[in-house]
Amino acid sequence: MNTNIQPDNDPRDQELWAIARKRASFRRHLFTYIAVNSLLWIFWALRGGSDYNGIPWPLWSTLGWGLGLAINYADAYMFHRENSVEQEYEKLKKKQQQQ
């Protein structure tokens, strides 16, 4: 698979490439998160399921890394809106035309 494809000079096309890269990165991050944390929990269970003050030790990595994964998801899927400055300009332009 060729990952060195260069986007066109069109700014919108470059924006789409950036969104696509973020989403592909999120999917890799999610797969790694699931694989590593599954192994940690399996290791914990095989070692007798010992805990620290009632909290299993793999929970810390699952929660901490999960927070990072949630932020990565938000960046890739929720906050990828088109250029907000351009949107504001278009709103102001329409408002001005209505007056």
Side-chain angles (χ1 to χ4, degrees):
M1 184 168 156
N2 187 358
T3 58
N4 293 328
I5 299 173
Q6 295 297 318
D8 295 335
N9 288 332
D10 181 14
R12 291 200 185 270
D13 202 36
Q14 290 176 353
E15 185 176 329
L16 291 176
W17 274 101
I19 292 169
R21 282 188 201 101
K22 285 180 181 182
R23 290 183 177 184
S25 173
F26 169 75
R27 285 191 297 271
R28 284 190 306 269
H29 189 184
L30 177 62
F31 175 77
T32 304
Y33 172 81
I34 291 169
V36 170
N37 278 289
S38 296
L39 290 173
L40 290 175
W41 281 99
I42 290 169
F43 180 72
W44 172 79
L46 292 175
R47 299 281 295 165
S50 62
D51 54 26
Y52 179 74
N53 291 333
I55 300 172
W57 61 262
L59 184 63
W60 299 112
S61 65
T62 302
L63 292 177
W65 195 349
L67 177 62
L69 187 66
I71 292 169
N72 189 235
Y73 172 83
D75 185 42
Y77 288 95
M78 297 171 69
F79 301 122
H80 68 276
R81 307 285 185 245
E82 292 180 12
N83 187 348
S84 60
V85 173
E86 183 178 313
Q87 286 179 340
E88 282 299 316
Y89 174 79
E90 292 298 325
K91 279 188 210 177
L92 292 171
K93 190 173 178 182
K94 284 180 186 179
K95 190 175 182 178
Q96 184 181 31
Q97 289 174 352
Q98 291 174 352
Q99 293 178 354

PDB file of all heavy atoms in Angstrom, residues 53-76:
ATOM      1  N   ASN A  53      -5.189  -2.226  46.856  1.00  0.00           N
ATOM      2  CA  ASN A  53      -6.298  -1.586  47.570  1.00  0.00           C
ATOM      3  C   ASN A  53      -7.642  -1.800  46.868  1.00  0.00           C
ATOM      4  O   ASN A  53      -8.449  -0.894  46.737  1.00  0.00           O
ATOM      5  CB  ASN A  53      -6.041  -0.091  47.759  1.00  0.00           C
ATOM      6  CG  ASN A  53      -4.927   0.167  48.733  1.00  0.00           C
ATOM      7  OD1 ASN A  53      -4.659  -0.647  49.620  1.00  0.00           O
ATOM      8  ND2 ASN A  53      -4.259   1.299  48.573  1.00  0.00           N
ATOM      9  N   GLY A  54      -7.837  -3.012  46.360  1.00  0.00           N
ATOM     10  CA  GLY A  54      -9.093  -3.350  45.709  1.00  0.00           C
ATOM     11  C   GLY A  54      -9.186  -2.952  44.258  1.00  0.00           C
ATOM     12  O   GLY A  54     -10.214  -3.136  43.628  1.00  0.00           O
ATOM     13  N   ILE A  55      -8.120  -2.379  43.717  1.00  0.00           N
ATOM     14  CA  ILE A  55      -8.136  -1.926  42.321  1.00  0.00           C
ATOM     15  C   ILE A  55      -7.134  -2.767  41.533  1.00  0.00           C
ATOM     16  O   ILE A  55      -5.941  -2.767  41.843  1.00  0.00           O
ATOM     17  CB  ILE A  55      -7.767  -0.434  42.210  1.00  0.00           C
ATOM     18  CG1 ILE A  55      -8.772   0.404  43.002  1.00  0.00           C
ATOM     19  CG2 ILE A  55      -7.729   0.009  40.755  1.00  0.00           C
ATOM     20  CD1 ILE A  55      -8.403   1.856  43.107  1.00  0.00           C
ATOM     21  N   PRO A  56      -7.591  -3.480  40.488  1.00  0.00           N
ATOM     22  CA  PRO A  56      -6.657  -4.253  39.667  1.00  0.00           C
ATOM     23  C   PRO A  56      -5.659  -3.322  38.970  1.00  0.00           C
ATOM     24  O   PRO A  56      -6.044  -2.285  38.436  1.00  0.00           O
ATOM     25  CB  PRO A  56      -7.549  -4.940  38.642  1.00  0.00           C
ATOM     26  CG  PRO A  56      -8.951  -4.717  39.074  1.00  0.00           C
ATOM     27  CD  PRO A  56      -8.956  -3.587  40.030  1.00  0.00           C
ATOM     28  N   TRP A  57      -4.375  -3.698  38.975  1.00  0.00           N
ATOM     29  CA  TRP A  57      -3.372  -2.804  38.409  1.00  0.00           C
ATOM     30  C   TRP A  57      -3.544  -2.523  36.920  1.00  0.00           C
ATOM     31  O   TRP A  57      -3.204  -1.427  36.466  1.00  0.00           O
ATOM     32  CB  TRP A  57      -1.956  -3.292  38.713  1.00  0.00           C
ATOM     33  CG  TRP A  57      -1.596  -4.640  38.179  1.00  0.00           C
ATOM     34  CD1 TRP A  57      -1.622  -5.817  38.864  1.00  0.00           C
ATOM     35  CD2 TRP A  57      -1.156  -4.958  36.867  1.00  0.00           C
ATOM     36  NE1 TRP A  57      -1.237  -6.849  38.062  1.00  0.00           N
ATOM     37  CE2 TRP A  57      -0.938  -6.349  36.819  1.00  0.00           C
ATOM     38  CE3 TRP A  57      -0.917  -4.220  35.712  1.00  0.00           C
ATOM     39  CZ2 TRP A  57      -0.513  -7.005  35.679  1.00  0.00           C
ATOM     40  CZ3 TRP A  57      -0.487  -4.872  34.576  1.00  0.00           C
ATOM     41  CH2 TRP A  57      -0.286  -6.248  34.553  1.00  0.00           C
ATOM     42  N   PRO A  58      -4.091  -3.417  36.070  1.00  0.00           N
ATOM     43  CA  PRO A  58      -4.256  -3.050  34.655  1.00  0.00           C
ATOM     44  C   PRO A  58      -5.290  -1.947  34.428  1.00  0.00           C
ATOM     45  O   PRO A  58      -5.314  -1.333  33.363  1.00  0.00           O
ATOM     46  CB  PRO A  58      -4.717  -4.340  33.982  1.00  0.00           C
ATOM     47  CG  PRO A  58      -4.417  -5.434  34.927  1.00  0.00           C
ATOM     48  CD  PRO A  58      -4.427  -4.829  36.284  1.00  0.00           C
ATOM     49  N   LEU A  59      -6.106  -1.699  35.433  1.00  0.00           N
ATOM     50  CA  LEU A  59      -7.119  -0.657  35.288  1.00  0.00           C
ATOM     51  C   LEU A  59      -6.484   0.712  35.033  1.00  0.00           C
ATOM     52  O   LEU A  59      -7.014   1.520  34.273  1.00  0.00           O
ATOM     53  CB  LEU A  59      -7.998  -0.601  36.537  1.00  0.00           C
ATOM     54  CG  LEU A  59      -9.169   0.378  36.495  1.00  0.00           C
ATOM     55  CD1 LEU A  59     -10.147  -0.015  35.400  1.00  0.00           C
ATOM     56  CD2 LEU A  59      -9.854   0.427  37.836  1.00  0.00           C
ATOM     57  N   TRP A  60      -5.329   0.965  35.653  1.00  0.00           N
ATOM     58  CA  TRP A  60      -4.668   2.267  35.490  1.00  0.00           C
ATOM     59  C   TRP A  60      -4.248   2.514  34.045  1.00  0.00           C
ATOM     60  O   TRP A  60      -4.460   3.604  33.511  1.00  0.00           O
ATOM     61  CB  TRP A  60      -3.476   2.394  36.433  1.00  0.00           C
ATOM     62  CG  TRP A  60      -3.888   2.286  37.864  1.00  0.00           C
ATOM     63  CD1 TRP A  60      -3.601   1.267  38.745  1.00  0.00           C
ATOM     64  CD2 TRP A  60      -4.731   3.186  38.579  1.00  0.00           C
ATOM     65  NE1 TRP A  60      -4.197   1.500  39.954  1.00  0.00           N
ATOM     66  CE2 TRP A  60      -4.906   2.673  39.884  1.00  0.00           C
ATOM     67  CE3 TRP A  60      -5.353   4.385  38.250  1.00  0.00           C
ATOM     68  CZ2 TRP A  60      -5.670   3.310  40.843  1.00  0.00           C
ATOM     69  CZ3 TRP A  60      -6.124   5.032  39.219  1.00  0.00           C
ATOM     70  CH2 TRP A  60      -6.267   4.498  40.490  1.00  0.00           C
ATOM     71  N   SER A  61      -3.673   1.500  33.419  1.00  0.00           N
ATOM     72  CA  SER A  61      -3.275   1.689  32.012  1.00  0.00           C
ATOM     73  C   SER A  61      -4.498   1.760  31.109  1.00  0.00           C
ATOM     74  O   SER A  61      -4.521   2.543  30.150  1.00  0.00           O
ATOM     75  CB  SER A  61      -2.345   0.560  31.557  1.00  0.00           C
ATOM     76  OG  SER A  61      -3.028  -0.673  31.560  1.00  0.00           O
ATOM     77  N   THR A  62      -5.522   0.973  31.431  1.00  0.00           N
ATOM     78  CA  THR A  62      -6.732   0.987  30.617  1.00  0.00           C
ATOM     79  C   THR A  62      -7.401   2.358  30.677  1.00  0.00           C
ATOM     80  O   THR A  62      -7.791   2.905  29.638  1.00  0.00           O
ATOM     81  CB  THR A  62      -7.713  -0.109  31.092  1.00  0.00           C
ATOM     82  OG1 THR A  62      -7.065  -1.384  31.010  1.00  0.00           O
ATOM     83  CG2 THR A  62      -8.959  -0.137  30.237  1.00  0.00           C
ATOM     84  N   LEU A  63      -7.531   2.925  31.873  1.00  0.00           N
ATOM     85  CA  LEU A  63      -8.163   4.234  32.009  1.00  0.00           C
ATOM     86  C   LEU A  63      -7.307   5.368  31.446  1.00  0.00           C
ATOM     87  O   LEU A  63      -7.802   6.241  30.734  1.00  0.00           O
ATOM     88  CB  LEU A  63      -8.492   4.508  33.479  1.00  0.00           C
ATOM     89  CG  LEU A  63      -9.581   3.647  34.102  1.00  0.00           C
ATOM     90  CD1 LEU A  63      -9.744   3.984  35.573  1.00  0.00           C
ATOM     91  CD2 LEU A  63     -10.893   3.805  33.364  1.00  0.00           C
ATOM     92  N   GLY A  64      -6.032   5.362  31.788  1.00  0.00           N
ATOM     93  CA  GLY A  64      -5.142   6.423  31.315  1.00  0.00           C
ATOM     94  C   GLY A  64      -5.017   6.449  29.805  1.00  0.00           C
ATOM     95  O   GLY A  64      -5.160   7.497  29.162  1.00  0.00           O
ATOM     96  N   TRP A  65      -4.757   5.284  29.252  1.00  0.00           N
ATOM     97  CA  TRP A  65      -4.621   5.188  27.807  1.00  0.00           C
ATOM     98  C   TRP A  65      -5.972   5.417  27.144  1.00  0.00           C
ATOM     99  O   TRP A  65      -6.058   6.019  26.070  1.00  0.00           O
ATOM    100  CB  TRP A  65      -4.070   3.814  27.445  1.00  0.00           C
ATOM    101  CG  TRP A  65      -3.552   3.654  26.066  1.00  0.00           C
ATOM    102  CD1 TRP A  65      -3.681   4.503  25.001  1.00  0.00           C
ATOM    103  CD2 TRP A  65      -2.812   2.547  25.568  1.00  0.00           C
ATOM    104  NE1 TRP A  65      -3.079   3.992  23.894  1.00  0.00           N
ATOM    105  CE2 TRP A  65      -2.540   2.775  24.227  1.00  0.00           C
ATOM    106  CE3 TRP A  65      -2.374   1.366  26.155  1.00  0.00           C
ATOM    107  CZ2 TRP A  65      -1.842   1.871  23.435  1.00  0.00           C
ATOM    108  CZ3 TRP A  65      -1.674   0.473  25.365  1.00  0.00           C
ATOM    109  CH2 TRP A  65      -1.401   0.727  24.027  1.00  0.00           C
ATOM    110  N   GLY A  66      -7.043   4.987  27.788  1.00  0.00           N
ATOM    111  CA  GLY A  66      -8.391   5.199  27.258  1.00  0.00           C
ATOM    112  C   GLY A  66      -8.725   6.673  27.137  1.00  0.00           C
ATOM    113  O   GLY A  66      -9.389   7.096  26.184  1.00  0.00           O
ATOM    114  N   LEU A  67      -8.264   7.469  28.094  1.00  0.00           N
ATOM    115  CA  LEU A  67      -8.468   8.913  28.010  1.00  0.00           C
ATOM    116  C   LEU A  67      -7.765   9.484  26.774  1.00  0.00           C
ATOM    117  O   LEU A  67      -8.329  10.281  26.028  1.00  0.00           O
ATOM    118  CB  LEU A  67      -7.951   9.598  29.280  1.00  0.00           C
ATOM    119  CG  LEU A  67      -8.035  11.120  29.302  1.00  0.00           C
ATOM    120  CD1 LEU A  67      -9.476  11.590  29.204  1.00  0.00           C
ATOM    121  CD2 LEU A  67      -7.387  11.652  30.562  1.00  0.00           C
ATOM    122  N   GLY A  68      -6.521   9.051  26.563  1.00  0.00           N
ATOM    123  CA  GLY A  68      -5.800   9.487  25.370  1.00  0.00           C
ATOM    124  C   GLY A  68      -6.492   9.043  24.094  1.00  0.00           C
ATOM    125  O   GLY A  68      -6.565   9.782  23.109  1.00  0.00           O
ATOM    126  N   LEU A  69      -7.028   7.842  24.105  1.00  0.00           N
ATOM    127  CA  LEU A  69      -7.749   7.317  22.947  1.00  0.00           C
ATOM    128  C   LEU A  69      -9.015   8.133  22.685  1.00  0.00           C
ATOM    129  O   LEU A  69      -9.347   8.431  21.534  1.00  0.00           O
ATOM    130  CB  LEU A  69      -8.087   5.848  23.171  1.00  0.00           C
ATOM    131  CG  LEU A  69      -8.695   5.107  21.996  1.00  0.00           C
ATOM    132  CD1 LEU A  69      -7.691   5.006  20.858  1.00  0.00           C
ATOM    133  CD2 LEU A  69      -9.127   3.712  22.430  1.00  0.00           C
ATOM    134  N   ALA A  70      -9.709   8.522  23.748  1.00  0.00           N
ATOM    135  CA  ALA A  70     -10.917   9.343  23.599  1.00  0.00           C
ATOM    136  C   ALA A  70     -10.579  10.701  22.985  1.00  0.00           C
ATOM    137  O   ALA A  70     -11.311  11.202  22.123  1.00  0.00           O
ATOM    138  CB  ALA A  70     -11.597   9.522  24.952  1.00  0.00           C
ATOM    139  N   ILE A  71      -9.478  11.276  23.405  1.00  0.00           N
ATOM    140  CA  ILE A  71      -9.043  12.558  22.835  1.00  0.00           C
ATOM    141  C   ILE A  71      -8.674  12.382  21.371  1.00  0.00           C
ATOM    142  O   ILE A  71      -9.023  13.217  20.523  1.00  0.00           O
ATOM    143  CB  ILE A  71      -7.871  13.142  23.655  1.00  0.00           C
ATOM    144  CG1 ILE A  71      -8.363  13.546  25.042  1.00  0.00           C
ATOM    145  CG2 ILE A  71      -7.218  14.317  22.935  1.00  0.00           C
ATOM    146  CD1 ILE A  71      -7.260  13.876  26.022  1.00  0.00           C
ATOM    147  N   ASN A  72      -8.006  11.282  21.057  1.00  0.00           N
ATOM    148  CA  ASN A  72      -7.651  10.979  19.673  1.00  0.00           C
ATOM    149  C   ASN A  72      -8.908  10.807  18.823  1.00  0.00           C
ATOM    150  O   ASN A  72      -8.973  11.290  17.686  1.00  0.00           O
ATOM    151  CB  ASN A  72      -6.776   9.731  19.641  1.00  0.00           C
ATOM    152  CG  ASN A  72      -6.165   9.438  18.299  1.00  0.00           C
ATOM    153  OD1 ASN A  72      -6.339   8.342  17.787  1.00  0.00           O
ATOM    154  ND2 ASN A  72      -5.462  10.389  17.731  1.00  0.00           N
ATOM    155  N   TYR A  73      -9.934  10.136  19.370  1.00  0.00           N
ATOM    156  CA  TYR A  73     -11.199   9.959  18.659  1.00  0.00           C
ATOM    157  C   TYR A  73     -11.850  11.319  18.388  1.00  0.00           C
ATOM    158  O   TYR A  73     -12.310  11.588  17.269  1.00  0.00           O
ATOM    159  CB  TYR A  73     -12.155   9.072  19.470  1.00  0.00           C
ATOM    160  CG  TYR A  73     -13.534   9.014  18.871  1.00  0.00           C
ATOM    161  CD1 TYR A  73     -13.809   8.130  17.835  1.00  0.00           C
ATOM    162  CD2 TYR A  73     -14.549   9.859  19.310  1.00  0.00           C
ATOM    163  CE1 TYR A  73     -15.071   8.081  17.261  1.00  0.00           C
ATOM    164  CE2 TYR A  73     -15.806   9.819  18.740  1.00  0.00           C
ATOM    165  CZ  TYR A  73     -16.066   8.928  17.713  1.00  0.00           C
ATOM    166  OH  TYR A  73     -17.307   8.897  17.136  1.00  0.00           O
ATOM    167  N   ALA A  74     -11.910  12.152  19.418  1.00  0.00           N
ATOM    168  CA  ALA A  74     -12.529  13.467  19.259  1.00  0.00           C
ATOM    169  C   ALA A  74     -11.823  14.282  18.188  1.00  0.00           C
ATOM    170  O   ALA A  74     -12.468  14.954  17.374  1.00  0.00           O
ATOM    171  CB  ALA A  74     -12.517  14.213  20.589  1.00  0.00           C
ATOM    172  N   ASP A  75     -10.515  14.211  18.161  1.00  0.00           N
ATOM    173  CA  ASP A  75      -9.742  14.949  17.158  1.00  0.00           C
ATOM    174  C   ASP A  75     -10.009  14.422  15.752  1.00  0.00           C
ATOM    175  O   ASP A  75     -10.115  15.189  14.802  1.00  0.00           O
ATOM    176  CB  ASP A  75      -8.252  14.859  17.486  1.00  0.00           C
ATOM    177  CG  ASP A  75      -7.400  15.698  16.558  1.00  0.00           C
ATOM    178  OD1 ASP A  75      -7.803  16.846  16.255  1.00  0.00           O
ATOM    179  OD2 ASP A  75      -6.336  15.215  16.142  1.00  0.00           O
ATOM    180  N   ALA A  76     -10.151  13.114  15.616  1.00  0.00           N
ATOM    181  CA  ALA A  76     -10.319  12.510  14.299  1.00  0.00           C
ATOM    182  C   ALA A  76     -11.751  12.595  13.774  1.00  0.00           C
ATOM    183  O   ALA A  76     -11.956  12.752  12.570  1.00  0.00           O
ATOM    184  CB  ALA A  76      -9.875  11.050  14.339  1.00  0.00           C
TER     185      ALA A  76
END
